Amino acid sequence: MSRNLTADLASDLRRRIVDGVIAPGAKLPSENTLISEFGVSRTVVRSALTRLQAEGLVETERGRGSFALTPPPDGPQQSAGSRPVATLEDRLWQLEFRIAVESEAAALAARNHTDRQLAAVRKAFEDFTDSAAHPAHAMKADYEFHRAIAAASGNPFYSDCLGSLGQTMIAMPRARLVGGGEHDAREHFDQVVQEHESIVAAIAEGDGPSSSAAMRSHLANSRRRLRAAAPGNA
């Protein structure tokens, strides 16, 4: 019976996170609230949260509560032949892939962009810069920034590739999503803004090699930050 109650509670919370009812970075209801809402024991609540932690959907911090993380894309949202991205290792592999793809897309964007496409890249950069206080908005703006660069490459296969990866390709460190040290979170955000700014400047100047190098540096730094934020490396 306990196992079924745990599965039911985990399923309900999972659905809320995947559907965006509980946005990335948002705090889950407290243990006492879940106990009251579902009529279950504290053991059931903690077992359900442990299950969601194992799935990479929830981060729990002692004394602060549990927070939603970025859900990996589920089956229906994936294109044929695509891989689920559910673990840290998956995300690191994905970033390695993105370094190869997006560095070349940035170089092509510097050479091929139209005025309208460059304006879209700049607008996405501005939206990201303005989203410092809203992690969920920052993730969307970050994704749109990379999509705008792919579109500016002039090659639709780059746009299709990033479209198939989806917004969950943005691997924001858990510390920022769950509101870890405010100073550290802001420092991380400002670093990403500077990296994005370097990419925009190089593309605007039509400098392919510099655009490629700036994108490669940005994604390599993202991979380093993700590794550093992994449990056990704090």
Side-chain angles (χ1 to χ4, degrees), residues 74-84 164:
D74 57 24
Q77 295 177 327
Q78 295 175 33
S79 58
S82 64
R83 295 180 57 89
S164 70

Side-chain angles (χ1 to χ4, degrees), residues 22-105:
I22 303 177
K27 190 174 183 179
L28 272 64
S30 68
E31 286 187 1
N32 289 337
T33 298
L34 292 174
I35 289 170
S36 176
E37 180 179 350
F38 288 89
V40 296
S41 68
R42 193 172 302 276
T43 299
V44 168
V45 170
R46 290 182 176 176
S47 295
L49 292 175
T50 297
R51 184 174 300 190
L52 295 175
Q53 289 171 23
E55 295 175 14
L57 291 173
V58 167
E59 173 81 351
T60 298
E61 292 190 355
R62 183 173 299 178
R64 299 189 65 238
S66 296
F67 300 81
L69 298 177
T70 309
D74 57 24
Q77 295 177 327
Q78 295 175 33
S79 58
S82 64
R83 295 180 57 89
V85 180
T87 67
L88 173 63
E89 187 176 33
D90 290 335
R91 291 194 178 280
L92 292 173
W93 280 339
Q94 187 183 68
L95 274 166
E96 186 175 84
F97 171 77
R98 287 179 58 201
I99 288 172
V101 172
E102 294 192 65
S103 296
E104 184 60 22

Side-chain angles (χ1 to χ4, degrees), residues 9-23 29 34 37-38:
L9 176 55
S11 177
D12 185 279
L13 293 174
R14 183 186 301 110
R15 184 170 57 252
R16 295 192 209 181
I17 294 170
V18 171
D19 290 348
V21 176
I22 303 177
L34 292 174
E37 180 179 350
F38 288 89

